[in-house]
Amino acid sequence: MAFPERFSSLPEYAFPRLRKLLDSHVPGAAPISMTIGEPRHPMPAFLADTLAAHMQEFAVYPPNDGSPDLLAAISRWIARRYHAEVAPDRIMALNGTREGLFNAALALCPQTKRGKRPVVLMPNPFYQVYAMAALTLGAEPVYVPATEATGFLPDYAGLPAEVLDRVALAYLCSPANPQGVVAPRDYIAGLLALAEKHDFQLLSDECYSELWHIAPPPGALEVASEVGADPERVLAFNSLSKRSNMPGLRSGFVAGGRESIARIRQLRAYAGAPLPLPLQRVAERAWSDEAHVEANRMLYVEKYAVAAQIFAGVNGYRTPEGGFFLWLPVADGEAAALKAWVETGVRVLPGAYLARDVAGQNPGKEYIRVALVAPRDETERGLKSLRECLYA
C-alpha cells in the first residue's frame, strides 16, 4: 500500500516521545505533571448556567461561521482589548485555534510563489501544527531560530531575499510558546512592513495574550491598525482555552481581512467542524466578561513570583513575560527530564521535542519546558524539586 511521503520526515509527536523516554522508569516520588499546557485553574462560574440554559440547541445544526451574537461579542472584545475595529464579517469562530492555524494555511497559501515552491516561515521551537500545515500544502517549511541570540523571537528580516520572495505565510506566536517572550510593537510593525515588501501574510498565534504580569501584550490587529497596514496582511488567532480555563470547550476565533476570512469560511463550509451552538453561547458569554480573566491572570502572576524566587541565581533563568511556561536552561533537555522524573517524580518536556534540527543544531536541546498550570502549592512543590535536582 502506498502512503504519502510528505509526512515521512516528521518526528514522533512530543508527548508520545516523552512517554517512551520516561514511562519505563519508576518516578522518584509522587508524580507531578508539568508537561502539557492544560489550564487547571477554576472555570468561570457562569459556564454551567449558560450551558444549561441552551441545552435544547444541541438539537440544531450550529452556524458554520459562528453565531451572529458570538461574532459580535468577539468583535467587541477586539475593540476593547486592541482598540481595533474588526467587523463580524472579518471574524470566524473556530473549533479551537489549532483548527484555524492549520486550515488558514490551506485556504490562503498559493500553490506557487513567483513561479517557485512557496515558503512557510515559523519560529524554531514552535507549536507543531505550523509545520504540519506547511507539509500538507507541499510548501517548504523554513524553521527560523528563536533563541537567546535573537531575543527568543525569529529574525525573519535576516533571511536571504530569495527566501523572503517565496514566502507565502509566516507564523508568529506572542506571547511565545515555549519561551514566554512578548513581541514588541516595533517588532510586529517590522514584520508587517516585511510582509508588504515581500507580499506574504502574517498568521499571529495569540492564544496566551491574556496571561501577562507587566503589561498587556500588543496584538497584530492592534499594530496593523496603528500603522495602517493592509487588513489582508494579517490574521490573528485566539481562544478561550488559556484566557478562560476552558480548553475542552474548543472555542477560538480567527480575525483578518474580509477576503481572507471569506476564503477560510468557504473551506470550513466544505470540510470544517463548527462549534455546537450551546458551546457558542458559553463562548459569547466568556468573551463578554473580563472579571474571571483578571482573577485567572493574578493566579499566574503569583506563580511567576514563586518561580522567580525559587530559581533566583540560576544562570539563564528568565521570568516569562507572558503565557504559563518556563523555558529553563539545562545541559541536555532529555537527560534533565529523565533525571527529574527518576529522582523527583516531576514530569517536564525536553525542549528539543518542540523544535527541529537545522544544520545539525536543535535550538531546544539545552532547555526543558515547564508548565505552571497546576494550583500554586503543587506548582511550588514541583519547582522546588526541579531546583534541587537540576541546579544544586
Side-chain angles (χ1 to χ4, degrees):
M1 181 179 291
F3 292 101
E5 297 180 359
R6 67 176 75 93
F7 305 126
S8 60
S9 63
L10 279 177
E12 192 170 21
Y13 200 66
F15 296 106
R17 289 177 73 182
L18 184 67
R19 289 192 288 271
K20 286 184 177 180
L21 177 69
L22 302 184
D23 285 1
S24 61
H25 300 271
V26 176
I32 297 177
S33 179
M34 307 185 83
T35 56
I36 192 167
E38 182 178 63
R40 290 171 54 193
H41 293 169
M43 294 180 292
F46 57 74
L47 185 153
D49 290 343
T50 305
L51 184 61
H54 295 277
M55 288 292 287
Q56 72 280 4
E57 291 181 324
F58 277 117
V60 300
Y61 284 119
N64 197 57
D65 304 326
S67 71
D69 290 341
L70 173 56
L71 297 179
I74 294 170
S75 177
R76 290 191 297 269
W77 180 79
I78 292 171
R80 291 194 307 272
R81 175 64 172 82
Y82 295 119
H83 309 290
E85 298 300 323
V86 181
D89 66 346
R90 292 175 53 194
I91 302 168
M92 190 181 80
L94 297 173
N95 202 322
T97 48
R98 187 193 310 214
E99 174 214 355
L101 291 162
F102 181 81
N103 284 337
L106 269 62
L108 301 176
C109 187
Q111 283 83 2
T112 61
K113 177 79 181 291
R114 303 191 184 196
K116 299 179 180 179
R117 184 186 182 193
V119 162
V120 176
L121 300 180
M122 61 202 72
N124 194 21
F126 59 98
Y127 185 39
Q128 299 296 297
V129 73
Y130 308 161
M132 178 58 74
L135 293 171
T136 300
L137 294 164
E140 178 185 354
V142 173
Y143 308 106
V144 181
T147 63
E148 186 175 10
T150 64
F152 295 103
L153 293 168
D155 180 17
Y156 292 151
L159 293 170
E162 184 277 329
V163 174
L164 289 170
D165 284 341
R166 290 193 292 125
V167 174
L169 306 171
Y171 284 99
L172 175 69
C173 184
S174 176
N177 171 13
Q179 307 96 322
V181 300
V182 168
R185 276 180 166 78
D186 289 349
Y187 177 90
I188 299 172
L191 267 185
L192 292 171
L194 193 71
E196 185 66 31
K197 179 179 179 180
H198 293 278
D199 189 24
F200 63 83
Q201 289 182 290
L202 175 63
L203 306 185
S204 186
D205 181 354
E206 300 175 4
C207 288
Y208 301 90
S209 68
E210 304 314 287
L211 307 182
W212 46 270
H213 66 110
I214 296 174
L221 295 173
E222 177 182 15
V223 177
S225 178
E226 291 172 355
V227 302
D230 180 350
E232 299 295 342
R233 285 287 166 217
V234 60
L235 291 104
F237 302 79
N238 214 319
S239 86
L240 296 173
S241 295
K242 284 74 176 175
R243 175 187 187 273
S244 299
N245 299 313
M246 295 192 287
L249 190 71
R250 307 312 306 141
S251 179
F253 72 82
V254 56
R258 281 187 177 85
E259 181 178 354
S260 297
I261 295 300
R263 290 175 179 271
I264 299 171
R265 286 183 171 194
Q266 183 182 34
L267 181 64
R268 158 67 77 74
Y270 280 93
L275 191 69
L277 191 51
L279 304 188
Q280 294 194 39
R281 302 300 189 192
V282 175
E284 175 194 340
R285 178 78 184 276
W287 288 113
S288 301
D289 180 79
E290 292 299 322
H292 76 283
V293 182
E294 293 170 5
N296 182 49
R297 184 184 305 121
M298 289 304 101
L299 295 177
Y300 285 110
V301 169
E302 291 177 4
K303 289 188 282 189
Y304 293 153
V306 167
Q309 182 178 24
I310 291 172
F311 291 101
V314 171
N315 187 35
Y317 173 77
R318 298 174 304 104
T319 297
E321 297 174 80
F324 49 48
F325 295 117
L326 300 183
W327 190 233
L328 295 180
V330 291
D332 180 275
E334 279 195 327
L338 182 57
K339 177 178 171 67
W341 177 245
V342 169
E343 295 186 9
T344 74
V346 177
R347 199 173 180 96
V348 298
L349 189 68
Y353 294 3
L354 302 168
R356 290 288 188 278
D357 292 351
V358 177
Q361 300 293 318
N362 185 309
K365 186 177 188 303
E366 297 178 354
Y367 290 89
I368 53 173
R369 192 187 76 173
V370 181
L372 305 179
V373 293
R376 174 176 170 165
D377 289 350
E378 182 179 336
T379 297
E380 187 169 1
R381 290 198 307 273
L383 295 181
K384 285 181 177 179
S385 295
L386 289 175
R387 173 67 196 256
E388 294 168 3
C389 175
L390 301 179
Y391 302 100

